[in-house]
Amino acid sequence: MRVLVTGGAGFIGSHIVDALTEAGHEAVVLDALLPSAHEEGGALPSSTAPDVRCLVGDVRDPDTVAGALRGVDAVCHQAAMVGLGKDFSDAPAYVSCNDHGTAVLLSGMEAAGVRSFVLAGSMVVYGEGRYVCDEHAQVRPGPRAVSALRAGRFEPPCPECGAALRPGLVGEDAPTDPRNTYATTKLAQEHLAAAWARAAGGRAVSLRYHNVYGPGMPRDTPYAGVASFFRSALARGEAPTVYEDGAQRRDFVHVHDVAAANVAALAAVSDARAGTDTGAAGAGEDGAGGGAAFAAYNVGSDEPHTIGEMAAALADAYGGPDPVVTGEFRLGDVRHITASSQRAARELGWRARIGFAEGMKEFATAQMRASSGS
């Protein structure tokens, strides 16, 4: 199978290219080399296999997309602006890169007759995670009040009675509630993919990544994830800065596991398009191999940890300094969001293999990539 990997020179994309090559597929890379993830005047990574066709270009350009799609069987769409960014002034860039870029790509796929699509989705589409109140069962708290955050009351209360809540695991059927610009664009990408799949007779999967970390993360950029922030600080000899009280629950998943999830999803949508049933995608109507044109899957470790635990594990493996918990907060952040990835296990035959302790020990000394984003 020949797969176009947009953003294939980036952090996650380059690992997907490696995983596809190792699985016997042919990868084609299209990357705009945005400064938020690459050095200024950057080039495609030297680690890219010499037989991988690499194109420098933007998915927002129809001619570039048309050229990249020639001879392609499936698309793995990783190209995007990521993270919370700096402030709302980033909104036009996020919408342009993520939503307009996806629309141009999908339009080009329809014209080229490419009908298999895997999207880099995100857990941010859920907003806050799953919460249970002892009196009112499962509830959905709204955005946290600024006054509460300033007072150090970080846990969202029950919207019915104000009682303390217990966080749990989120399934793919949970309602979506994006809380910031990036999250909004990621949900819009899913809607575009679903609309394309129905209109074009294609199959689309969104892999809702949780907190991805691992070798090759960009450093020193406001567009990276929290793992990159902490690792970059340690490399500078500074203490990792932990917001709120550090008790925010997340699901940290290694980039090698994320790459494997993409290979599994590509096999599922391609098998479905070919009318075969290998068992990898399952036969349920909600699965990628069933009757649905679009399906979403959580991609996490099923091993929740707090942000404070992650910072401490990295600092310990790196040799210090210890994290500093500031009590500060960022508007748009959610308190707890952890996933159940059991649907991916059932329908894609995928599950995370790299545990938290092993992964953090490796990441503490792993090489990171420079970027000119600031």
Side-chain angles (χ1 to χ4, degrees), residues 12-39:
I12 297 174
S14 60
H15 286 280
I16 293 172
V17 169
D18 290 343
L20 285 168
T21 302
E22 291 170 7
H25 302 296
E26 180 182 350
V28 178
V29 170
L30 174 62
D31 201 296
L33 301 179
L34 295 177
S36 57
H38 300 273
E39 293 181 88

Side-chain angles (χ1 to χ4, degrees), residues 118-162:
V118 173
L119 170 68
S122 175
M123 54 85 178
V124 295
V125 300
Y126 297 117
E128 285 286 355
R130 182 177 183 271
Y131 291 89
V132 174
C133 172
D134 289 338
E135 181 176 351
H136 296 97
Q138 187 170 330
V139 296
R140 290 186 57 78
R144 295 178 292 171
V146 173
S147 59
L149 294 171
R150 286 175 176 163
R153 299 193 302 274
F154 302 121
E155 296 288 345
C158 174
E160 302 293 333
C161 65

Side-chain angles (χ1 to χ4, degrees), residues 74-253:
V75 172
C76 183
H77 185 32
Q78 306 296 311
M81 281 186 68
V82 300
L84 271 179
K86 293 177 286 188
D87 52 43
F88 199 78
S89 66
D90 284 327
Y94 273 107
V95 172
S96 177
C97 288
N98 297 358
D99 299 339
H100 179 63
T102 298
V104 172
L105 176 63
L106 291 169
S107 176
M109 288 175 61
E110 183 174 28
V114 181
R115 298 292 186 261
S116 299
F117 184 69
V118 173
L119 170 68
S122 175
M123 54 85 178
V124 295
V125 300
Y126 297 117
E128 285 286 355
R130 182 177 183 271
Y131 291 89
V132 174
C133 172
D134 289 338
E135 181 176 351
H136 296 97
Q138 187 170 330
V139 296
R140 290 186 57 78
R144 295 178 292 171
V146 173
S147 59
L149 294 171
R150 286 175 176 163
R153 299 193 302 274
F154 302 121
E155 296 288 345
C158 174
E160 302 293 333
C161 65
L165 299 174
R166 289 180 282 111
L169 301 182
V170 177
E172 291 87 348
D173 295 330
T176 53
D177 184 17
R179 299 286 177 91
N180 55 61
T181 300
Y182 171 63
T184 301
T185 65
K186 297 309 289 183
L187 184 57
Q189 284 184 299
E190 290 195 355
H191 289 318
L192 286 166
W196 165 85
R198 290 189 294 269
R203 292 296 177 110
V205 159
S206 177
L207 299 178
R208 291 174 175 170
Y209 302 160
H210 282 249
N211 288 71
V212 186
Y213 71 96
M217 286 193 85
R219 66 173 185 263
D220 298 322
T221 165
Y223 302 98
V226 66
S228 174
F229 295 163
F230 294 164
R231 179 65 176 76
S232 296
L234 290 166
R236 297 191 301 268
E238 300 172 3
T241 300
V242 179
Y243 286 138
E244 301 186 17
D245 58 0
Q248 309 95 301
R249 285 161 49 99
R250 297 291 188 269
D251 188 328
F252 301 100
V253 59

